[in-house]
């Protein structure tokens, strides 16, 4: 089983006690982000409440948390299911992601800092073997982008990004077929980091937009391929 991809909570004070609802939400979240619950999978209340060992009302409350995060959707006459992103969804997610990340990069470069966590993430990506599982690629990739956001010094920008983060991860989990090997991802992030180190804001913005535009295009292509495959199967 691939390792779970951890999505940290926004950096603010939280009580350590974990409720049954929070624990159930985490269990479902891990199943989605591990790829064990594919897009379009319906979560039947009775089956999942029994599988998780929780009451049905706790399961419903847990799914409401994940609906607010964008990891689940409630569809008319179909109940709760893992989202199947449309082209419009992907374009919207990446439009907001680009706005937040490009501004964060500008602020980081103006400040003259190179986030240590971003450098460490690129080093980790560059050290992955060609056979590394996709979850090993996603984790440092996410840490790289979060490090830039966190270093920008804007709490509101940070909160906005963390609110989008689950949908970003869901996109990344579904992007695996677009990349042949980890070295491709590593090379892209080495370029992004080099532009920050050189304090070249114009080049950094250009590279960032290309990086995110290509990711969005690959996601849309993957959606189109999956749709065609489903049509042929029918």
């Amino acid at each position: 089983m691939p390792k779970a991809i951890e999505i940290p909570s926004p950096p603010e004070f939280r009580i350590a006690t974990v409720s049954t609802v929070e624990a159930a939400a985490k269990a479902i979240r891990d199943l989605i982000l591990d790829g064990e619950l594919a897009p379009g999978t319906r979560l039947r209340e009775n089956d999942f409440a029994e599988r998780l060992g929780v009451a049905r009302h706790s399961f419903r409350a847990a799914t409401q948390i994940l609906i607010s995060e964008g990891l689940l959707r409630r569809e008319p006459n179909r109940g709760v299911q893992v989202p199947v992103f449309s082209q419009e969804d992907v374009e919207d997610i990446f439009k907001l992601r680009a706005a937040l990340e490009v501004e964060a990069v500008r602020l980081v470069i103006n400040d003259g800092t190179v986030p240590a966590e971003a450098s460490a993430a690129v080093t980790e990506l560059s050290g992955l073997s060609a056979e590394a599982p996709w979850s090993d690629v996603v984790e440092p990739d996410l840490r790289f982008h979060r490090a830039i956001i966190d270093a920008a010094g804007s709490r509101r920008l940070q909160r906005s990004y963390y609110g989008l983060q689950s949908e970003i991860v869901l996109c990344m989990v579904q992007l695996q077929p677009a990349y042949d090997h980890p070295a491709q991802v590593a090379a892209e992030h080495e370029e992004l980091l080099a532009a920050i180190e050189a304090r070249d804001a114009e080049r950094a913005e250009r590279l960032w937009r290309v990086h995110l535009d290509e990711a969005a295009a690959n996601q849309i292509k993957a959606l189109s391929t999956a749709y065609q495959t489903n049509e042929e199967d029918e």
Side-chain angles (χ1 to χ4, degrees), residues 42-43 73-81:
R42 183 180 174 187
L43 278 65
R73 283 183 183 169
R74 191 176 300 281
E75 301 288 347
N77 304 317
R78 289 187 58 83
V80 176
Q81 65 183 56

Side-chain angles (χ1 to χ4, degrees), residues 106-180:
R106 185 188 68 79
L107 292 171
V108 167
I109 289 176
N110 284 347
D111 191 48
T113 60
V114 178
E117 185 63 25
S119 298
V122 171
T123 298
E124 185 174 337
L125 279 170
S126 302
L128 292 174
S129 69
E131 294 76 30
W134 185 241
S135 57
D136 284 357
V137 177
V138 172
E139 186 67 33
D141 187 319
L142 286 171
R143 280 194 280 109
F144 173 83
H145 290 276
R146 283 201 301 260
I148 303 301
I149 293 293
D150 292 344
S154 169
R155 293 294 297 270
R156 289 172 176 79
L157 188 154
Q158 194 177 49
R159 283 202 302 269
S160 297
Y161 191 83
Y162 273 71
L164 183 67
Q165 191 167 232
S166 291
E167 290 184 305
I168 292 174
V169 176
L170 195 53
C171 283
M172 291 185 67
V173 169
Q174 298 172 22
L175 264 178
Q176 181 174 3
Y179 291 90
D180 294 330

Side-chain angles (χ1 to χ4, degrees), residues 7-23:
I7 301 180
S9 301
E12 55 188 32
F13 180 76
R14 298 191 67 184
I15 297 174
T17 303
V18 177
S19 69
T20 299
V21 170
E22 289 172 322

Side-chain angles (χ1 to χ4, degrees), residues 62-102:
T63 59
Q64 192 58 46
I65 291 173
L66 299 178
I67 289 170
S68 70
E69 293 179 2
L71 287 179
L72 289 177
R73 283 183 183 169
R74 191 176 300 281
E75 301 288 347
N77 304 317
R78 289 187 58 83
V80 176
Q81 65 183 56
V82 181
V84 178
F85 287 146
S86 66
Q87 178 173 336
E88 290 74 19
D89 289 328
V90 174
E91 289 173 345
D92 197 37
I93 290 167
F94 278 89
K95 186 185 299 181
L96 178 54
R97 184 179 177 185
L100 295 172
E101 291 196 28
V102 168

